[in-house]
Amino acid sequence: MSKRHSAKYKIDRRLGVNLWGRAKSPINKREYGPGQHGQRRKKPSDYGTQLMAKQKLKGYYGNISEKQFRKYYAEAVRRKGDTSENLIGLLERRLDAVVYRMKFVPTVFASRQFINHGHVRVNGRRVNIQSYMVREGDVVSVREKSREMALVMEAVASSERDVPEYMEVDAKALKGTFVRTPKLADVPYPVQMEPNLVVEFYSR
């Protein structure tokens, strides 16, 4: 589980964006950063802009550790095609991201905990690793005993976000198929993500 679970909204304020597009985000009331010097905003350098792009992407997926994020970057470089598109594809294949996208839980942080506690099945098998890489065609479902949980029912009923087109979800059965790996344009980020700047940051 992320060490930042209890302080997730600090990430919003530090980055100056409503990262998950949630109505409860404090950035809706206070657009400046947390702490004594939060209101001092100066124009960032190129390095600062690239760093911010990396922090936004890392933060969005539950504040992934630097070591793990660097691994995704290395894998994205190794693959054929556009590195920034490859990076987004890898992040969207993480099981915690898939469970969140399928609207089985309200937040990415809740998704991590939900997986950790053994509530999720992939192709009928229990998987409790948040970073498990889902493949195209994999069926992700909520364990039968966990389907009545208030957390799940609240998420499914929420109109705050929609299930993206690269997934097919049966909300009643709490089961979904990961149809294809998305491109950046397919992913419903509430804020603008710039993976090209993340690539620039790591290739400095």
Side-chain angles (χ1 to χ4, degrees):
M1 212 177 111
S2 171
K3 294 173 197 152
R4 301 303 298 266
H5 188 192
S6 61
K8 58 181 178 286
Y9 290 132
K10 269 191 189 171
I11 301 172
D12 271 7
R13 288 188 61 204
R14 182 160 49 84
L15 297 174
V17 291
N18 186 351
L19 200 51
W20 298 279
R22 301 212 75 198
K24 291 178 187 173
S25 174
I27 200 73
N28 297 333
K29 292 178 185 171
R30 292 174 291 188
E31 290 191 0
Y32 49 88
Q36 189 182 349
H37 305 294
Q39 295 190 52
R40 294 184 195 169
R41 279 267 158 99
K42 55 184 183 188
K43 194 169 185 288
S45 61
D46 285 351
Y47 172 82
T49 306
Q50 292 162 1
L51 178 64
M52 184 75 80
K54 184 193 79 158
Q55 287 174 333
K56 265 201 304 192
L57 205 54
K58 265 177 70 175
Y60 182 83
Y61 290 96
N63 227 23
I64 297 169
S65 72
E66 179 61 27
K67 186 180 176 185
Q68 203 164 21
F69 200 74
R70 203 175 267 275
K71 271 187 188 173
Y72 289 131
Y73 168 72
E75 178 62 22
V77 170
R78 197 182 63 76
R79 294 179 177 224
K80 285 181 183 174
D82 186 293
T83 303
S84 59
E85 291 284 4
N86 291 344
L87 180 61
I88 294 297
L90 287 166
L91 291 168
E92 281 294 306
R93 282 179 51 206
R94 281 177 60 99
L95 183 57
D96 54 5
V98 172
V99 169
Y100 171 63
R101 290 272 179 247
M102 289 183 172
K103 282 184 69 178
F104 297 155
V105 289
T107 67
V108 178
F109 296 90
S111 180
R112 289 185 157 199
Q113 197 171 21
F114 195 65
I115 294 162
N116 237 9
H117 292 177
H119 299 300
V120 175
R121 301 276 184 270
V122 178
N123 300 328
R125 282 177 44 244
R126 189 179 79 139
V127 177
N128 60 1
I129 301 159
Q130 306 134 350
S131 59
Y132 176 89
M133 298 304 276
V134 176
R135 295 188 178 92
E136 293 180 358
D138 278 357
V139 175
V140 178
S141 57
V142 174
R143 188 181 67 155
E144 209 164 316
K145 287 181 183 174
S146 313
R147 291 176 188 175
E148 299 298 314
M149 287 173 69
L151 175 92
V152 176
M153 293 168 84
E154 177 207 329
V156 171
S158 170
S159 58
E160 215 169 60
R161 55 197 173 89
D162 298 317
V163 175
E165 288 179 4
Y166 48 93
M167 295 176 182
E168 286 172 0
V169 175
D170 181 341
K172 283 184 181 172
L174 289 173
K175 186 161 71 172
T177 305
F178 186 78
V179 179
R180 61 181 173 84
T181 303
K183 298 286 185 192
L184 173 62
D186 302 324
V187 184
Y189 292 119
V191 296
Q192 188 186 3
M193 291 296 182
E194 298 160 305
N196 55 311
L197 294 181
V198 180
V199 172
E200 284 174 24
F201 177 87
Y202 281 120
S203 56
R204 287 173 78 88

